[in-house]
Amino acid sequence: MNPRSAILTHPGAVVVGGGIAGLVSAWELARAGVRPLLIEARGYLGGLIARGTVGDVDVDLGAETYVVRGTDTSSIVEALGLTSVEPAGSGARLYAPALRGGWELRPFLRDSFLGIPAHPNAPDCASVLGEAGVRRALKDQSMGGVGMDEAGDTLAGFVAARMGEAVLERSVRPIIAGIYTADPTMLATDTVAPGLRAETARHGSLAAAVAARLAAAGSRRTPEACVVGGMFVLVDALRAAIEEAGGTVLTRTGAFAMARAASGWVLECGPTKPGPTSGAEPVPAGPAVSVTTERLVLACSASAALRLVTEARIPGLVPDVIVPEGAPIARLTLAVRAPELDDAPVSQGLLVAPAPADERPVAAKALSHLNVKWPWLADQLGPHTHLLRLSYGRLGEAELDVTVEGALRDIRTLTGVDIAPEAVTDHLLARWNGTLPPLPPEYRGRVRALEEQVRGLGGVALTGAWVAGTGIASVVSHARSGAKGLL
């Protein structure tokens, strides 16, 4: 089929971008009876949710979980007939400096949220924080409104103000650095932990707020969940649902320009091809078609969305947003035949605490034992065969040369298991350079101002991780809200 002939010229809505934000936006519009046209400039859908095959097994190469917060994501999973589960195993570990020197492998604090303890006087807190750290953390119970002002705008500032440096340095910072690839001094509290400051004020302490969150989670051992089969299953299901409802989904199709029109919005859309370098934005590959619509969702990357908005030269709309640069992230997934891993020495996996490069025992920042974490992967592997994923890349550091040999050295240090190179039956390296930028409070303020300007135009919405914040749950909630606002 000629890609130009497949582009509808008068759809009920146009969604630019086929990541999870765009797919959810198009799904929300389609289920309301609007037949959207979704265009994605790259050759695949899902954005940071991506499928790869390692050892003849399909695995998530990017995001593999979502935070169970509210019902915006879980209700989509249920509506699509899918099932989600929390990670298996006995919980994640933290490889971090010990109180008395050296490095140690320890569990996350048992009753905690993002490393913030609900019970700072619990035995496991004492062994991690030390006596002085526990005494300081307990002061949180009588601090009143401390941290509700500007000092608590960043997660680091909020935690340090309420519970002290020991909680921040020995528990929160290592976990945040591993999950968000950014330091908590650069992350807005209300983006990483929406509602936590308000809950602290309501319950009288940060510890009580965390305890209330854990109680609300009920029997869930972790706030994370994954769609059975992999998060990429959700991408496939969303596309199928959009098309079954009469929508159109096109890849290798981009929006080159946009402009206001009497009937809404006009976009110039056409075929695309890969950019000049790996990871670069796709570029036009043929003539464009004019598409007119009453509803427009810009769910593409920040660079593409800001380019479209800026070049449209709409009076009163002046984007004042510069997106911070993210870390050079690399993920190496290995299929190995190693009976020594049958006992799962690190359970589902671990995070490596941040430290100066010359003080870190390993180059990796995380290790996941995937077939322990997700049982459906174990069901597809042969005896004594395991899937391990190592993550690399920290904010402010240069891109690493990731090799199988280096990964095996890290595995030996982190698990105690020595895997011979010939035991590696398959491997796949995926890079996500710059895709998880830190979003500090000042940046969030500029984005909110831009959202208000765009919303005032009528018939158009901005969404995506650069607007909503990092994490599938945040992106999904924002995308659904934006799409509903266009109905």
Side-chain angles (χ1 to χ4, degrees):
M1 177 186 295
N2 184 331
R4 294 182 73 242
S5 66
I7 300 175
L8 305 178
T9 55
H10 292 82
V14 175
V15 178
V16 182
I20 190 65
L23 287 165
V24 166
S25 299
W27 176 82
E28 194 70 60
L29 293 164
R31 71 197 292 256
V34 177
R35 295 185 175 183
L37 166 65
L38 183 151
I39 56 174
E40 166 54 51
R42 299 186 186 275
Y44 58 90
L45 299 173
L48 287 182
I49 300 177
R51 180 204 325 253
T53 302
V54 184
D56 296 325
V57 176
D58 286 342
V59 297
D60 283 308
L61 297 180
E64 64 169 349
T65 62
Y66 66 90
V67 175
V68 182
R69 184 173 62 226
T71 61
D72 279 341
T73 306
S74 59
S75 62
I76 294 178
V77 173
E78 293 171 5
L80 295 173
L82 306 176
T83 303
S84 61
V85 295
E86 63 184 50
S90 56
R93 272 60 166 168
L94 184 63
Y95 190 65
L99 274 175
R100 294 174 176 80
W103 285 65
E104 65 179 359
L105 185 64
R106 62 174 186 255
F108 286 9
L109 295 181
R110 183 181 175 196
D111 296 319
S112 64
F113 168 72
L114 295 178
I116 306 169
H119 309 291
N121 56 351
D124 63 337
C125 287
S127 64
V128 171
L129 305 177
E131 294 181 5
V134 169
R135 286 195 301 270
R136 172 60 184 86
L138 289 172
K139 292 182 179 180
D140 160 63
Q141 298 174 1
S142 57
M143 281 190 155
V146 170
M148 303 305 152
D149 55 7
E150 186 176 339
D153 284 349
T154 67
L155 186 63
F158 183 53
V159 171
R162 298 296 311 190
M163 289 190 170
E165 292 294 326
V167 171
L168 172 63
E169 297 297 336
R170 296 191 53 77
S171 185
V172 175
R173 175 166 276 124
I175 291 172
I176 292 297
I179 295 174
Y180 292 96
T181 317
D183 191 87
T185 58
M186 306 178 71
L187 298 176
T189 304
D190 298 335
T191 298
V192 179
L196 185 61
R197 288 205 287 179
E199 293 162 21
T200 298
R202 184 166 63 252
H203 292 287
S205 72
L206 176 54
V210 170
R213 285 201 170 198
L214 298 178
S219 60
R220 291 202 311 270
R221 296 177 297 119
T222 168
E224 293 182 306
C226 178
V227 174
V228 172
M231 290 302 298
F232 55 81
V233 174
L234 176 61
V235 171
D236 296 341
L238 282 168
R239 176 175 191 162
I242 294 165
E243 293 178 333
E244 287 172 5
T248 301
V249 179
L250 300 176
T251 57
R252 285 285 170 229
T253 307
F256 306 151
M258 62 177 275
R260 297 197 73 172
S263 55
W265 297 92
V266 176
L267 290 99
E268 298 301 315
C269 305
T272 60
K273 63 183 179 181
T277 61
S278 176
E281 292 285 339
V283 296
V289 174
S290 292
V291 177
T292 303
T293 184
E294 296 178 4
R295 305 174 185 90
L296 171 61
V297 179
L298 297 179
C300 44
S301 66
S303 58
L306 292 172
R307 173 181 56 79
L308 288 169
V309 169
T310 300
E311 293 179 359
R313 300 186 183 280
I314 300 170
L317 181 57
V318 183
D320 184 22
V321 175
I322 298 176
V323 182
E325 185 176 350
I329 300 172
R331 285 181 157 188
L332 179 64
T333 305
L334 306 172
V336 300
R337 182 170 175 78
E340 301 88 343
L341 290 174
D342 291 350
D343 292 333
V346 294
S347 186
Q348 67 195 51
L350 56 86
L351 298 177
V352 179
D358 58 354
E359 297 178 15
R360 295 197 296 260
V362 296
K365 73 183 187 78
L367 182 151
S368 294
H369 198 158
L370 296 175
N371 51 295
V372 172
K373 194 173 186 178
W374 308 121
W376 60 84
L377 295 177
D379 293 340
Q380 300 176 63
L381 296 172
H384 310 308
T385 300
H386 298 266
L387 287 175
L388 302 175
R389 185 184 62 223
L390 292 100
S391 299
Y392 296 85
R394 295 186 184 274
L395 193 65
E397 297 185 3
E399 179 179 300
L400 290 173
D401 181 19
V402 178
T403 65
V404 171
E405 292 75 16
L408 294 180
R409 288 194 297 270
D410 285 352
I411 292 169
R412 180 170 61 248
T413 299
L414 296 171
T415 69
V417 175
D418 193 354
I419 300 173
E422 57 269 23
V424 178
T425 59
D426 195 9
H427 68 277
L428 179 62
L429 178 65
R431 291 194 179 273
W432 302 95
N433 290 355
T435 53
L436 293 175
L439 304 181
E442 186 271 342
Y443 170 85
R444 295 292 305 141
R446 291 178 181 273
V447 168
R448 281 193 294 269
L450 177 60
E451 283 187 275
E452 291 177 6
Q453 292 181 48
V454 170
R455 192 178 299 115
L457 299 174
V460 60
L462 280 177
T463 191
W466 70 279
V467 183
T470 301
I472 291 175
S474 296
V475 172
V476 167
S477 295
H478 191 276
R480 296 190 72 172
S481 176
K484 290 175 181 177
L486 298 180
L487 295 174

